[in-house]
Amino acid sequence: MSYRAMFLSDCHLGAAVAKAELLADFLESNRAERYYLVGDFLDFWHPVTVRWTDDCQRVVDHLRRRVEQGAELIYLRGNHDPRPEEALVELGLQVPVQERVLHTMGDGRKLLVVHGDCQDYRLFRSAFMTRVGTILNQGVRFLDCQFGRGLVLLGLRDGELLSRALRRAGWIVCSPSAHERRLVKLAQVTNVDGVICGHFHVAALHENEGFVYANCGDWLHSFSAVAEDLAGNLQLLSPAPSRGSVTEPAQILVQS
């Protein structure tokens, strides 16, 4: 599939919990003229647990080849990105790093593109809290993986019980709806037609009174991306399991 623009967030490449293989398969099956990496693309500021795999490199190599073929790549800084300017040079992706940008859709509407951590409560924006959250998340997911394997062997379940509980606890502390309202207000003050973000790991795409809200989701749980097709429609994409191609968009927002 080919798209006018693709928005990816919270890939967390380098973290032990990253699903780089699925992301690499998805990118190789779905190309875009312009790629927005909407924050937390990389996640290896914690060297003790960094896990840079061949599939992580596949993702970076694919994006580099797309740039060489003429595609545009825009990198937005996230709260987990480790000095992205230096990291990108080491990885061979020499693109400018920005805090926020405007994307102009095919019909002329302008959307604010921002990671989203700028609208967190001040306490949660600190580097210390970011590190604590990452350590807890990775620890719980490791325990959940070990616990889940035992239950799968017993034929009892195949989900991620502890990981889901952690995410729900996080939503109680900082609800997705409150986060969305603050981002929408930021975009309205910026005098644009909508906002595309990440950060909260909750995929969404909807329009309220002509104002667009899109959250790319992530590549840890939801495995989703937002894309603008060649006709100018926004889509929430979810890859088909095991091969990375998109069978049907999860949701389509048709241009007005």
Side-chain angles (χ1 to χ4, degrees):
M1 295 290 291
S2 296
Y3 298 92
R4 186 170 181 269
M6 183 177 293
F7 304 83
L8 299 160
S9 179
D10 297 277
C11 303
H12 290 275
L13 297 183
V17 296
K19 299 295 189 297
E21 180 181 4
L22 186 58
L23 176 58
D25 291 344
F26 172 77
L27 288 173
E28 290 169 359
S29 300
N30 303 277
R31 296 190 171 193
E33 299 171 1
R34 177 181 296 169
Y35 297 85
Y36 291 88
L37 304 178
V38 192
D40 288 357
F41 177 67
L42 301 174
D43 191 355
F44 48 74
W45 49 259
H46 35 79
V48 175
T49 59
V50 66
R51 185 169 177 266
W52 191 260
T53 65
D54 290 342
D55 288 313
C56 290
Q57 194 61 47
R58 273 179 65 202
V59 173
V60 171
D61 290 345
H62 175 80
L63 291 172
R64 185 175 63 245
R65 286 194 300 271
R66 292 295 297 130
V67 171
E68 292 171 351
Q69 293 165 358
E72 185 177 0
L73 180 62
I74 299 169
Y75 195 119
L76 291 107
R77 185 191 306 271
N79 55 310
H80 283 261
D81 284 305
R83 295 186 179 275
E85 298 90 341
E86 300 175 6
L88 291 176
V89 171
E90 294 177 2
L91 294 173
L93 274 178
Q94 299 189 30
V95 296
V97 178
Q98 305 181 62
E99 298 294 335
R100 61 183 68 178
V101 297
L102 293 181
H103 170 71
T104 302
M105 295 183 62
D107 61 0
R109 287 185 294 173
K110 295 185 180 300
L111 305 178
L112 175 67
V113 187
V114 60
H115 180 56
D117 59 307
C118 60
Q119 295 304 302
D120 282 352
Y121 294 118
R122 186 176 298 275
L123 171 65
F124 300 113
R125 293 205 300 265
S126 69
F128 173 75
M129 289 302 295
T130 295
R131 284 158 172 73
V132 169
T134 297
I135 293 170
L136 287 175
N137 182 276
Q138 294 198 13
V140 168
R141 288 184 64 85
F142 174 78
L143 291 174
D144 195 33
C145 181
Q146 303 306 313
F147 180 60
R149 285 177 181 172
L151 291 183
V152 169
L153 290 175
L154 294 175
L156 298 179
R157 71 166 190 98
D158 59 357
E160 295 181 314
L161 181 62
L162 296 178
S163 296
R164 288 199 299 271
L166 179 66
R167 292 200 299 277
R168 288 170 181 167
W171 295 347
I172 293 173
V173 174
C174 185
S175 73
S177 58
H179 184 259
E180 176 181 332
R181 287 194 297 272
R182 291 193 294 272
L183 280 169
V184 166
K185 184 176 181 180
L186 173 66
Q188 289 172 334
V189 171
T190 310
N191 196 30
V192 294
D193 302 295
V195 59
I196 297 179
C197 62
H199 183 51
F200 220 79
H201 297 216
V202 180
L205 175 61
H206 56 79
E207 185 171 358
N208 183 18
E209 297 182 356
F211 195 88
V212 175
Y213 174 81
N215 189 305
C216 306
D218 65 11
W219 287 84
L220 303 179
H221 311 113
S222 62
F223 311 112
S224 57
V226 172
E228 181 186 357
D229 66 21
L230 300 179
N233 305 316
L234 281 181
Q235 303 182 2
L236 182 60
L237 306 178
S238 183
S242 77
R243 64 177 185 274
S245 62
V246 175
T247 52
E248 292 291 341
Q251 189 174 349
I252 301 177
L253 188 63
V254 180
Q255 65 180 5
S256 58

